[in-house]
Amino acid sequence: MSWFAWGDPAKAATLDPGLRDLVSQVLRAPLEDLPPVPEERVELPPSLLGARLREALAGVVGDGHVRTDDAVRLRHSGGKSTPDLLSRRAGSADPAPDAVLYPADHDEVQRVLEVCSAERVAVVPFGGGTSVVGGVAPLRGGFRAVVALDLRRLDRLVSVDTTSMTAVLGAGVRTPHAEAMLAEHGCTLGHLPQSYEYASVGGYAATRSSGQASSGYGRFEDMVVSLRVATPRGTLETGGPPASAAGPDLGRLMLGSEGTLGVITEVGLRMRRRPERVLDEAWSFPDFATGVEALRSLAQSDVRPTMARVLDESETFVGAAMGGREATPGCQAVLGFEGTGTEVEARAASVREAMAAAGGAPLGPDPVAHWRSNRFSAPYLRDTLLSAGILAETLETAASWTDLLPLYTAVSDALTGALEDEEGGAVVMCHVSHTYPTGASLYFTVATAAGAAPLERWSRAKRAASDAIAAHHGTITHHHAVGTDHRPWMAAEIGPLGGEVLRAVKAALDPGGVLNPGKLIPEP
Amino acid sequence: MSWFAWGDPAKAATLDPGLRDLVSQVLRAPLEDLPPVPEERVELPPSLLGARLREALAGVVGDGHVRTDDAVRLRHSGGKSTPDLLSRRAGSADPAPDAVLYPADHDEVQRVLEVCSAERVAVVPFGGGTSVVGGVAPLRGGFRAVVALDLRRLDRLVSVDTTSMTAVLGAGVRTPHAEAMLAEHGCTLGHLPQSYEYASVGGYAATRSSGQASSGYGRFEDMVVSLRVATPRGTLETGGPPASAAGPDLGRLMLGSEGTLGVITEVGLRMRRRPERVLDEAWSFPDFATGVEALRSLAQSDVRPTMARVLDESETFVGAAMGGREATPGCQAVLGFEGTGTEVEARAASVREAMAAAGGAPLGPDPVAHWRSNRFSAPYLRDTLLSAGILAETLETAASWTDLLPLYTAVSDALTGALEDEEGGAVVMCHVSHTYPTGASLYFTVATAAGAAPLERWSRAKRAASDAIAAHHGTITHHHAVGTDHRPWMAAEIGPLGGEVLRAVKAALDPGGVLNPGKLIPEP
């Protein structure tokens, strides 16, 4: 993965002249040419890993698996948020880890944690490195050194059970690799977030990820049937049986713990059979509110699509303009159905009736096909826009159906209010991509001129949006997790006693506090 | 509720002569006549609640809501397991609570906990009192006194939102009352465990309950969208939005905490529309293994019944004999479908195909109607059998589909082995009543002669079964919870580090340790 951008440099997006005109017109800002600094000009702080410590760690993972060279440290100096990329593009990779470790298996992870806890070295677990909330920022947190614990070598299919339809995967397995291994057994996880090509299954578990087809396959946390977790105090294993009433579900305490309570090394997952049939249908609605109501009726019925999203008017318009297509008025919904042949047909027929009754007009499969072909490419466009002096970033939340549209308005207004100024305008777009019987997610995309101080500009907008979320019954994050960026809002999210519970669990599992300092858990 | 038996004394079961003959023949034991002692002969330990403490508690809940009379204390001296009833029937209600408190609302619960924590008084939360695992046993645990905290006055529908399809209910609301209040809004929870008539929604949450229609409506923990929990350290509120990635799900830490971490006072729940149509179908299978495979195929498909259970050969035979019907050979499955008219028909048609393909023969709706009419009555029969000198008790577990039949055999053998002796034989029956994509529950019913020392006899059988569960990848409890009875197996279930996590959370929320001592959480 590129050190200053998302993904594969060969797949970088281009800005065609039409899109350039559109962007500069809508944002009232001229496009610039702002390439990243060359890699050799990026400044990294020196590694603080002393020889004795290096030897102790090499004693666990092997000498070749302790890396302190700048190229490797740079590539573990943070995640893939717009602020992360802005900093690196400008030539700063501070903080950077003092070393990057590549353990081979659970036992090596376990021993690394024991060494680091004894030696007061901070440990930042690193899966795919795709965090957009500062989750893998190598913060030293007052310790002697900080190491990134890269889990890519934990890449095995540990076991598979096609009777119980479960598989145990190493935490470092990336999704395409997982899907390839499970496909040999006719199975799939069905988990496809936008970060799909790079994110790891351990990262999904640690952040309570949600994929684009969550309506049908569920959130990642709902697929997890067991976990193996290394902690400075030893190994914790959770789950196994399909359900239990034997006390609180301790697996759920590890899911979403973002490497602050332990390092997830193996993930037991529910699989599904690979779908025989995929059927797509797009719908048009007169406005976002009507489209949202249509999705609510689906989410609360017994017959649901596998994938359902509805774009607001702004995102519908921009999507059409970028695809060079005539924009339909109102807003667009894209639905996908996966399953066996007759079952998919029956489900789609039932949903078709519901969508028409809810005021929708059918658009056929083409808009969904267009969405599918671009579903993982938005981060590439974001990077190209950054090179043209345009900030493009996303943020997300979820709320009950009753709270959803007031929250949508409040966050949209907050973003627009924070960004409409003499440096240009802002485009705020939104879609609902994850629906539940009791509510749904909102996913905002914002584009605006980077201006003279882009980090401060985005930080102001993000703060305004987050305050609006907290004030309007939203969660501070539906699927991006907390990291550093959402941590200031965690006290409001879980209350003072919730914070104490997390700190108590951390003290029990990580008494030295070396695991991912500065993330997730609010200060007392 | 009767002090020595389940439920309403007016509904007591009778043993008709045919059933008497069957029981005594199969169990090789003569039936006896062993009525409970009269209430006035039951011995209770004296109340240790001193005048000052009584005054302090009356200052919170009002003088009339602190009860120390024997009639009330007897009715809070434990739950409804067979050992509970054997003790009380024999005239012992020791332990009994020193007082029973009836707080009016969350704030009174909160203040009671503060007083009890400061005064070193153990608190046993008491919902419907239906625990069969010792969950409401009033253990003093080394404290000055022990009080039962009866939550029946927290019986309000706090709020209802038919857009988001959620309702907040007071923890003391019993299910029929909840259903009546929600029915006014056209809604239902769909949660019907055997304890349905008496159990409270707070109890369901505290024990991770599962209802008979869990295939369609989900486990109770999956219906919970928010919780309000009183603790000695203050109030914890969890949930709200339909999904979140803002750290671990702290609501899941309270679900299943059995009153050891806090007292759940309000439960926010997902509702469903009341079904328009209910359709029942029974099926016959040549043997249990084939029936289980049929249920697995349903649980792993996209089209499922709302309720699905399959009885083993023994339970199929006994059920038919008790109903005075000809026993069909092999084993029986009962399926129920709930939803809208056309949707139910379509689903049932699809399931019909799957069941036939799995080797089933249709039996029509009558066996399901018979099951429905008797679904809440088994505990009454248990009590009548106790009066005839026959022990009848249940236990349950869950495992992956791969582990399910070996576990079934191991537990059956353990029970039979522990009970087949000179005092008589045992009938061990089993059904699968909760299915998941990755596995299912097993629910065993055992009948055997009480013998000379019934408590010891049952204890021996229970221990053998629990050891077999632990050795064969089952969970020590799928839906009865832990209480005192399953606590010896918790260390094996969650591991030493899991125990430390629970103790750390308890220390944070209940530093004095007064909440439900002796339950759930294993000793270090």
Side-chain angles (χ1 to χ4, degrees), chain A residues 132-417:
Chain A
V132 291
V133 294
V136 294
L139 304 180
R140 200 171 277 113
F143 294 99
R144 286 170 57 194
V146 55
V147 296
L149 193 65
D150 190 314
L151 300 166
R152 70 180 62 189
R153 292 174 69 208
L154 281 69
D155 63 350
R156 285 198 312 129
L157 174 59
V158 179
S159 64
V160 62
D161 174 351
T162 54
T163 300
S164 305
M165 287 298 282
T166 56
V168 178
L169 290 162
V173 176
R174 294 185 179 187
T175 336
H177 184 207
E179 289 296 332
M181 291 190 287
L182 299 183
E184 290 183 25
H185 302 274
C187 297
T188 178
L189 298 177
H191 187 72
L192 287 111
Q194 196 172 62
S195 57
Y196 162 85
E197 294 160 289
Y198 295 93
S200 65
V201 298
Y204 292 147
T207 58
R208 300 176 72 188
S209 171
S210 197
Q212 291 167 350
S214 69
S215 294
Y217 292 96
R219 285 168 70 81
F220 196 78
E221 62 198 311
D222 297 325
M223 302 177 192
V224 173
V225 297
S226 64
L227 290 174
R228 192 171 188 203
V229 185
T231 84
R233 293 290 314 287
T235 294
L236 182 69
E237 312 217 31
T238 70
S244 173
D249 185 344
L250 296 179
R252 294 275 182 167
L253 198 52
M254 297 299 121
L255 293 166
S257 61
E258 300 186 24
T260 65
L261 305 179
V263 178
I264 295 167
T265 59
E266 289 176 11
V267 185
L269 289 160
R270 178 192 79 201
M271 308 184 293
R272 301 285 292 270
R273 306 239 173 267
R274 291 184 74 77
E276 293 170 12
R277 176 82 201 278
V278 176
L279 190 155
D280 289 336
E281 285 193 350
W283 290 79
S284 175
F285 289 92
D287 51 43
F288 190 48
T290 309
V292 167
E293 269 300 285
L295 258 61
R296 179 171 78 89
S297 76
L298 295 184
Q300 293 178 345
S301 85
D302 287 318
V303 184
R304 286 190 284 268
T306 310
M307 183 272 291
R309 44 207 290 141
V310 58
L311 324 181
D312 72 356
E313 292 85 347
S314 172
E315 192 162 326
T316 300
F317 173 83
V318 170
M322 281 177 51
R325 288 163 292 131
E326 183 96 23
T328 47
C331 82
Q332 202 176 81
V334 295
L335 306 182
F337 300 84
E338 300 182 12
T340 58
T342 51
E343 184 271 323
V344 158
E345 294 292 346
R347 204 147 43 100
S350 167
V351 165
R352 208 171 287 136
E353 265 181 54
M355 293 298 266
L363 295 175
D366 289 353
V368 192
H370 183 261
W371 172 79
R372 284 192 189 274
S373 67
N374 290 285
R375 64 200 293 196
F376 306 123
S377 66
Y380 289 105
L381 181 59
R382 185 254 314 245
D383 294 326
T384 301
L385 287 168
L386 279 182
S387 289
I390 302 297
L391 284 183
E393 185 56 307
T394 62
L395 58 86
E396 37 78 63
T397 179
S400 74
W401 291 111
T402 296
D403 292 329
L404 201 68
L405 288 182
L407 176 62
Y408 165 72
T409 304
V411 175
S412 301
D413 289 353
L415 288 166
T416 308

Side-chain angles (χ1 to χ4, degrees), chain A residues 161 208 244-245 247 272 302 402, chain B residues 161 208 247 272 302 402 475 477:
Chain A
D161 174 351
R208 300 176 72 188
S244 173
R272 301 285 292 270
D302 287 318
T402 296
Chain B
D161 174 352
R208 300 176 72 188
R272 300 285 292 270
D302 286 319
T402 297
T475 173
T477 173

